[in-house]
Amino acid sequence: MKRRGHLTAILLTAAMAAGLTACGGGNNAGTAAVTDTAKETQTEASSAAAESTEKAAAGQEDKITITYWNTNRHDQEYMAPLIEEFNNTNTDNIYIDYQIYAENYAQMLDLSFSTDSAPDVFQISNDGLATIVEKGYALDVTPFMTDEYKERFGEGAFVEGINMIDGKIYSLPYTASAVRLFYNRDIFDRVGIEAPPASLEELVADAKLITEQLSGEGIYGIAGNYKSSAAILRTIDPVVMVSGGTRCGFDYKNGKYDFTSYKPILEAFREMYEGGYAFPGSEALDIDPLRTQFAAGKIGMYMSLSHAEPGVYASQFPTDINWSCAYIPAAGGVIKGKQQLWTGGYSFAVNVNTAHPEEAWKVMEFLHSDEVMSGYYTAGLGTVMIPTAVEKAETPESVKKMPALELTDNDRNYPALPNGLKVEGKDYASVFVEVIFGMTDADKAIADLNKRYNEAYDKMVESGTARIVYPDFTTENLNTSK
């Protein structure tokens, strides 16, 4: 029996609209849509940051300038005063040149390194670490870290291929996000659904029930932003992982690609979208138009990111609907695996060519300090990945109202995927969109993907890349021992 929860609403001032990638190799580029309005706001924020930097830099010629780049316009109001205070009070003669590049960040970073104007400290997504290190951008910061300093990041914070390459630490964790199911409680109440679905089967049944009773009013059970194949990363992939399947099709235990575990999840989603239980036109929706319809009360459920939605409905798409979030349901209702953190979380690295490595490290210590990050967490600006900071913080109002926004032990970093995989033809996410909308048979799609991905991976191994194999790995223990 499902039990009715409390009606909730979120008041949160932060929103993130960054392009993100979650799975490596081939053409797997999962980018979140950014509206023209959001782009204008990002540009304004970047311009404002640059103007503020120019003004603050006046009279700082006698200090050591450490340039710091990130993409986080959503936390600028919180971070700017702290950085200004640091600039005015630190005893190490350091001045932080704080810059926000919310658009085309990866390209801007590449350009800065190619023109010898790269920042001293810069943000990366953890899934991008291997590429950053391969390009020679990041400094090995292991020598700066004591055992005591490492311990404050908690168990599992430093993972080979995520924060480390060949045992060397190149980045420090900052914040993270995970996929959650967002739902309209008003719609659930109207049709008699007392709690969010706890299984994939309930998800399908609830979507069908909502559509059968309310489609005459233009209200449908579920929606997805499948205009971009990136939607697979925030819908199908999480359900596969928590159901005990492979992450992005990679079987760590046997060191090969196997998309077989995707079949039951794809068939369930195909039933919803081909069966008419979903918002019409989902195959052509971007995420922001989807959010507009959800805010208007036309969508019962959809999947998105824990860090983003509270701010979206507080500021970008204000709404009076009663909405909440829940954990991703698993096939059969039994959790058999962890969910990969979105892009592995966010982290910061130090420029390998910085002229001031000691000072750059002090800036890293400041950015990751309990003082900065506990306030960051309390303000609801992100789910902080530093346990010592969280312990000193107050629980954000958003998490008090929607506990499922918080990360759990079931939200973890998997080992890194094969880096630089070049697959001939369409990537798996594009193929699976076609499966969901009835354009491709699931069995044929999976057989073709297994063949093409393994051929590409075998070529990598033949050319000298070490095959990734963890014999004792399961989706529940993520064991990387060999």
Side-chain angles (χ1 to χ4, degrees):
M1 176 69 70
K2 294 181 177 179
R3 292 183 292 179
R4 187 181 304 275
H6 296 291
L7 296 179
T8 57
I10 283 290
L11 296 175
L12 186 64
T13 59
M16 294 182 70
L20 303 171
T21 19
C23 294
N27 302 316
N28 299 341
T31 54
V34 183
T35 63
D36 290 338
T37 301
K39 287 182 178 180
E40 291 172 6
T41 304
Q42 290 173 342
T43 303
E44 290 170 3
S46 297
S47 299
E51 182 180 350
S52 175
T53 295
E54 290 176 6
K55 291 179 179 178
Q60 302 294 340
E61 294 83 358
D62 59 331
K63 290 192 173 185
I64 297 170
T65 297
I66 299 298
T67 306
Y68 161 50
W69 284 16
N70 71 33
T71 65
N72 298 335
R73 66 182 176 86
H74 81 289
D75 65 15
Q76 183 181 8
E77 186 175 346
Y78 173 79
M79 289 301 301
L82 292 178
I83 290 174
E84 182 178 1
E85 181 182 4
F86 176 89
N87 287 340
N88 291 333
T89 61
N90 80 86
T91 58
D92 297 300
N93 204 37
I94 297 172
Y95 171 76
I96 300 176
D97 180 0
Y98 171 41
Q99 299 183 28
I100 300 172
Y101 290 90
E103 293 186 66
N104 303 316
Y105 178 75
Q107 293 90 333
M108 290 291 292
L109 197 63
D110 283 337
L111 180 62
S112 71
F113 274 94
S114 68
T115 57
D116 199 28
S117 58
D120 300 280
V121 174
F122 58 98
Q123 178 180 322
I124 64 171
S125 64
N126 284 351
D127 266 11
L129 179 71
T131 299
I132 292 294
V133 173
E134 192 174 273
K135 290 179 177 179
Y137 292 174
L139 178 72
D140 172 16
V141 297
T142 314
F144 292 99
M145 302 177 69
T146 63
D147 289 340
E148 182 180 6
Y149 191 79
K150 291 179 188 177
E151 287 174 2
R152 63 184 294 268
F153 288 87
E155 183 180 356
F158 299 108
V159 180
E160 183 67 24
I162 301 297
N163 299 97
M164 302 189 299
I165 302 292
D166 296 330
K168 298 177 180 179
I169 298 172
Y170 288 93
S171 68
L172 300 187
Y174 196 68
T175 60
S177 186
V179 174
R180 295 292 186 256
L181 178 74
F182 293 87
Y183 63 97
N184 183 320
R185 295 192 62 90
D186 294 331
I187 291 175
F188 277 32
D189 288 344
R190 287 187 62 186
V191 302
I193 299 172
E194 296 182 335
S199 70
L200 179 61
E201 293 74 16
E202 284 186 354
L203 178 75
V204 175
D206 289 349
K208 182 179 181 181
L209 178 63
I210 291 168
T211 302
E212 287 177 343
Q213 293 196 22
L214 302 178
S215 60
E217 302 174 32
I219 298 171
Y220 293 83
I222 197 166
N225 57 312
Y226 290 100
K227 181 179 180 180
S228 166
S229 59
I232 295 295
L233 309 180
R234 64 171 76 191
T235 56
I236 304 300
D237 281 349
V239 179
V240 171
M241 283 185 277
V242 300
S243 301
T246 56
R247 177 199 171 198
C248 302
F250 190 73
D251 178 356
Y252 291 95
K253 186 179 183 69
N254 296 297
K256 65 178 184 178
Y257 280 88
D258 185 357
F259 291 93
T260 306
S261 58
Y262 278 71
K263 183 180 178 180
I265 285 77
L266 288 169
E267 289 179 336
F269 275 74
R270 182 167 180 162
E271 178 182 348
M272 291 188 289
Y273 285 88
E274 269 211 304
Y277 314 158
F279 190 80
S282 285
E283 71 276 9
L285 276 181
D286 277 327
I287 185 62
D288 279 348
L290 185 158
R291 288 164 169 161
T292 300
Q293 294 299 324
F294 183 76
K298 299 298 183 181
I299 294 170
M301 301 173 284
Y302 75 104
M303 296 181 187
S304 193
L305 303 175
S306 59
H307 77 265
E309 306 313 281
V312 164
Y313 296 118
S315 57
Q316 192 175 356
F317 304 114
T319 180
D320 294 327
I321 67 171
N322 293 313
W323 63 279
S324 190
C325 78
Y327 299 110
I328 297 299
V334 179
I335 301 296
K336 297 180 180 179
K338 311 293 185 185
Q339 180 190 165
Q340 168 72 11
L341 294 174
W342 190 250
T343 74
Y346 296 98
S347 63
F348 296 114
V350 174
N351 182 346
V352 69
N353 297 316
T354 180
H356 306 287
E358 295 286 345
E359 288 76 13
W361 175 251
K362 289 184 181 296
V363 170
M364 289 278 279
E365 288 184 308
F366 162 73
L367 294 173
H368 293 86
S369 67
D370 287 351
E371 290 72 22
V372 170
M373 296 310 297
S374 61
Y376 196 98
Y377 178 73
T378 298
L381 295 171
T383 303
V384 172
M385 298 178 70
I386 307 171
T388 56
V390 174
E391 289 168 3
K392 296 176 181 177
E394 296 180 15
T395 303
E397 288 300 314
S398 57
V399 174
K400 290 179 182 177
K401 295 173 181 177
M402 295 186 189
L405 286 172
E406 186 67 292
L407 299 183
T408 72
D409 288 340
N410 200 48
D411 303 304
R412 295 281 297 279
N413 273 326
Y414 277 62
L417 293 163
N419 184 48
L421 187 72
K422 296 180 180 179
V423 180
E424 295 291 334
K426 296 178 181 178
D427 64 19
Y428 84 91
S430 300
V431 172
F432 285 159
V433 170
E434 294 177 354
V435 172
I436 290 171
F437 290 98
M439 294 178 281
T440 302
D441 175 75
D443 286 321
K444 290 182 179 178
I446 289 170
D448 175 64
L449 287 168
N450 286 345
K451 180 177 182 293
R452 290 191 290 114
Y453 270 71
N454 281 312
E455 286 177 348
Y457 191 39
D458 288 344
K459 287 181 181 179
M460 284 181 61
V461 173
E462 289 169 5
S463 67
T465 299
R467 187 178 292 276
I468 299 172
V469 181
Y470 301 116
D472 296 325
F473 182 91
T474 71
T475 55
E476 293 176 304
N477 66 27
L478 307 187
N479 190 338
T480 58
S481 60
K482 295 184 178 181

